[in-house]
Amino acid sequence: MKIDVKLSLDKEFVDNYGKKEHSANVASGWVELESAIKFPVRVLQSKESVAFVKYPQINKDGNWNNVLFP
C-alpha cells in the first residue's frame, strides 16, 4: 500500500518552543492512501507535552466524532 504524508511544522510552535506558552499545533498536512483517499491531519501537543494526531471530525448533535480511524 502506498502512503504519502506531507506535513509542515507550525512556525509559531517552532519559534516559541521551550517557552512557557507555545502553540498546541505542532504540524499540519495531508495523508494520501493509494492515490485514492486524501485527508487532512494535525499533530497537536497537550499541556503535558504529549503529542497526538488529530483526524478529521464531524459534529453530530453537539458531539465531535472522528470521520476516519487509523
Side-chain angles (χ1 to χ4, degrees):
M1 174 180 267
K2 180 183 174 196
I3 301 172
D4 187 26
V5 179
K6 294 185 180 173
L7 290 173
S8 298
L9 283 172
D10 183 74
K11 183 177 180 349
E12 181 184 343
F13 178 83
V14 172
D15 290 346
N16 295 319
Y17 185 75
K19 295 180 181 175
K20 189 171 184 174
E21 295 293 325
H22 60 79
S23 172
N25 190 30
V26 177
S28 59
W30 292 89
V31 174
E32 187 172 359
L33 305 173
E34 290 290 333
S35 299
I37 299 172
K38 187 174 184 179
F39 57 91
V41 294
R42 289 176 52 194
V43 179
L44 302 174
Q45 183 180 30
S46 69
K47 292 181 180 179
E48 295 81 22
S49 296
V50 176
F52 59 95
V53 176
K54 182 177 178 188
Y55 294 95
Q57 297 179 329
I58 189 167
N59 187 348
K60 287 185 178 178
D61 301 322
N63 296 317
W64 287 96
N65 298 308
N66 286 339
V67 176
L68 300 168
F69 297 92

